[in-house]
Amino acid sequence: MLDQGAPPHHDATATAPSPGLAARLMRRKPVERLVAEGGQGEGGSLRRSLGLWQLTMISIGATLGTGIFVVLGEAVPKAGPAVTLSFVIAGLTALFSALSYAELAGTIPVAGSSYSYAYATMGELVAWICGWCLILEYGVSVAAVAVGWGEYLNELLDGTIGVTLPTVLSAPPGDGGVFNLPALIVVLLAMTFLLGGARESARANTIMVVVKIAALVLFCAIGVQGFRSGNYEHFMPLGMAGVSAAGATLFFSYIGFDAASTAGEEAKNAQRDLPRAIMLSLIIVTVLYVLVAAVAVGAKPWRNFTDSEASLAQIMTDVTGQSFWGTLLAFCAVVAIASVVLTVLYGQTRVLFAMSRDGLVPRVFSKVHPKTGAPRANTLIVSLFCGVLAAAIPLGQLADATSIGTLFAFALVNVAVVVLRRTRPEMPRTFRVPLSPVLPALGFGFCVWMMGSLSTVTWVVFGVWMAVGLVFYFVYGHRRSRLATPDTSEVRTHQK
């Protein structure tokens, strides 16, 4: 019998007023929904096959090599011998952000990394901006590192068979060439591993990481024999401004822990292992960076670091007087930098996977191959784009563009961890940032400070990139967002 006094029942989907623009831009995705959707893609699911060791190796693989093997030659002329201090400052900045990443990775273990953290705490527009920065960070980083790989490949070829690739095929336009073929090749090699699945890629990466650590230890052991204290007489010739500028350029060398957080949906025990992998890898990488930079500047006057990205191999040759050691290091660098390309490319595909699942980018990026558990179409598209970018753009421009995207995304993560503490204090956390909100605030401040050290050209490029991203969001993502069209069952569940 009907209750005559009860108000008439209406379907929530028929009577609910349409939210305003501001409400739609600020709509947040519940943490529970983010976690529940973990691993789910179009036509298949990602496979949970990565443990603490593999996650740590992914983090180190994406980090160790970019700053030392490639960008050291770009950073030393900016800071002089004080480049070691630049590495410390960049590492400290990364540490504050890594603490925030560790807490959020253990609380929201999903593939989207800081994009997903922002979606759960600050709303869809901020999440889109963060995701767009990650696309810049990862995609351009792959290209930047691939450019340096070509330098070491030439060093290896010269030391083994006495030939090098002609400049026209080994340098981009603007650096005396037409097309950087080696840079394209290394991206395509990484793509081949990624198409085989996360487990196979992790195995290959682990081998390459062991090789690169051994190479850097060998460099320190030999390079210290050529150490000249006179190279440190004018420690800070370009002042603190130079140290800051070099630190901002080098910061992109610390994005490895960010790549580890993108593996949240393929980790066996993500809530436990991701925070540990992030902190462990950052400590290992920072120590090695500072040691190698100190030895390199001690063995070679800082003004001589402007001629090649393959500076470590040249130092080995100069110190020993034998080309063998430089050739050996060049071989190790070829292997090491390939692992950076592999793991950072992996991170790029997983961020796009998460954004696609949310409807903000086309569905093709979230399609999963049922046999390998890998997003194949996503991997192919991203690899080809990054390969062409690496073949056509000079290294210095790529490194700075990566840094500003990284710093912006990290700044948002430091805000997100504080917001989630206030809005969802009851959530279980396997790791907590100590002295919050003080350390997240310091992390945010350091990121903003280092962004201010980047050149005007970099800021202009970043502004254009963000403008293009906002146009894409309002034309495509805003209309197709899954939060904009929740299914009827979901609405009724929330009404109960």
Side-chain angles (χ1 to χ4, degrees):
M1 185 174 178
L2 294 175
D3 183 356
Q4 299 297 323
H9 173 75
H10 296 286
D11 191 337
T13 60
T15 61
S18 177
L21 177 61
R24 296 198 301 272
L25 297 179
M26 296 295 292
R27 56 196 174 206
R28 292 181 292 179
K29 189 171 183 179
V31 174
E32 291 78 10
R33 180 171 171 181
L34 279 166
V35 176
E37 292 179 355
Q40 299 176 19
E42 295 284 337
S45 300
L46 302 177
R47 297 176 181 174
R48 294 193 177 274
S49 59
L50 305 178
L52 175 61
W53 172 253
Q54 290 90 346
L55 292 170
T56 304
M57 290 298 102
I58 287 174
S59 187
I60 295 176
T63 308
L64 191 58
T66 51
I68 286 297
F69 285 110
V70 179
V71 188
L72 185 63
E74 297 278 340
V76 172
K78 297 180 180 180
V83 71
T84 52
L85 183 58
S86 299
F87 270 113
V88 172
I89 292 174
L92 186 62
T93 303
L95 174 62
F96 290 132
S97 297
L99 291 170
S100 296
Y101 262 98
E103 177 169 328
L104 292 173
T107 309
I108 314 174
V110 293
S113 184
S114 52
Y115 154 77
S116 295
Y117 309 153
Y119 214 163
T121 56
M122 292 177 281
E124 186 172 283
L125 179 60
V126 177
W128 169 263
I129 292 173
C130 189
W132 194 244
C133 285
L134 290 177
I135 293 173
L136 176 68
E137 170 191 335
Y138 283 116
V140 178
S141 179
V142 168
V145 178
V147 171
W149 186 83
E151 290 283 340
Y152 276 99
L153 179 63
N154 259 339
E155 196 81 14
L156 176 62
L157 292 174
D158 184 43
T160 52
I161 60 178
V163 299
T164 59
L165 294 173
T167 303
V168 69
L169 292 178
S170 60
D175 280 357
V178 174
F179 194 77
N180 193 331
L181 183 60
L184 175 61
I185 290 174
V186 71
V187 174
L188 296 181
L189 288 174
M191 177 190 73
T192 302
F193 283 112
L194 290 174
L195 290 176
R199 178 182 295 178
E200 290 71 17
S201 301
R203 288 173 180 171
N205 174 65
T206 298
I207 295 172
M208 291 188 281
V209 168
V210 171
V211 170
K212 78 166 76 178
I213 292 177
L216 293 177
V217 171
L218 176 65
F219 171 82
C220 290
I222 294 178
V224 74
Q225 299 175 31
F227 192 92
R228 300 289 183 271
S229 59
N231 290 339
Y232 278 92
E233 284 185 358
H234 302 288
F235 182 70
M236 202 180 294
L238 302 175
M240 197 61 198
V243 174
S244 175
T249 297
L250 291 169
F251 187 79
F252 102 109
S253 307
Y254 288 90
I255 68 172
F257 63 84
D258 190 20
S261 70
T262 65
E265 296 177 21
E266 290 162 287
K268 295 177 182 177
N269 190 339
Q271 291 180 311
R272 181 195 68 187
D273 292 340
L274 280 177
R276 296 179 181 180
I278 289 170
M279 300 310 301
L280 180 60
S281 63
L282 184 62
I283 292 171
I284 294 172
V285 164
T286 302
V287 170
L288 282 170
Y289 273 169
V290 173
L291 285 176
V292 173
V295 171
V297 175
K300 183 177 182 177
W302 69 272
R303 290 184 179 85
N304 297 340
F305 276 80
T306 59
D307 50 359
S308 172
E309 282 84 16
S311 54
L312 296 191
Q314 293 177 355
I315 291 173
M316 293 274 276
T317 300
D318 294 341
V319 169
T320 62
Q322 301 176 9
S323 61
F324 169 77
W325 295 107
T327 302
L328 178 61
L329 188 75
F331 168 76
C332 294
V334 167
V335 176
I337 297 173
S339 77
V340 180
V341 175
L342 173 65
T343 48
V344 176
L345 192 63
Y346 167 86
Q348 172 75 98
T349 59
R350 270 44 180 187
V351 169
L352 282 169
F353 174 86
M355 296 177 73
S356 173
R357 186 172 56 201
D358 292 333
L360 301 184
V361 298
R363 293 175 58 184
V364 66
F365 290 101
S366 59
K367 289 185 177 179
V368 177
H369 192 274
K371 183 177 180 180
T372 63
R376 280 194 169 183
N378 181 344
T379 302
L380 286 167
I381 294 170
V382 171
S383 299
L384 291 175
F385 173 80
C386 292
V388 172
L389 189 67
I393 305 295
L395 172 63
Q397 298 175 23
L398 289 173
D400 284 347
T402 303
S403 292
I404 197 167
T406 305
L407 287 164
F408 194 89
F410 284 11
L412 290 179
V413 169
N414 284 293
V415 175
V417 74
V418 175
V419 172
L420 194 63
R421 283 275 192 102
R422 293 181 178 276
T423 58
R424 299 294 302 275
E426 80 289 351
M427 289 190 66
R429 290 166 169 83
T430 55
F431 177 86
R432 299 178 70 90
V433 179
L435 302 178
S436 179
V438 176
L439 292 189
L442 286 173
F444 178 85
F446 267 97
C447 288
V448 172
W449 173 57
M450 295 189 77
M451 288 175 71
S453 300
L454 294 170
S455 67
T456 302
V457 173
T458 302
W459 274 97
V460 170
V461 171
F462 181 66
V464 172
W465 175 259
M466 295 307 300
V468 171
L470 289 173
V471 170
F472 185 91
Y473 171 70
F474 283 107
V475 170
Y476 183 93
H478 178 66
R479 300 172 182 272
R480 296 175 180 265
S481 169
R482 288 186 61 191
L483 289 189
T485 56
D487 58 44
T488 304
S489 61
E490 187 177 12
V491 174
R492 287 174 178 166
T493 299
H494 287 300
Q495 294 294 319
K496 290 182 180 181

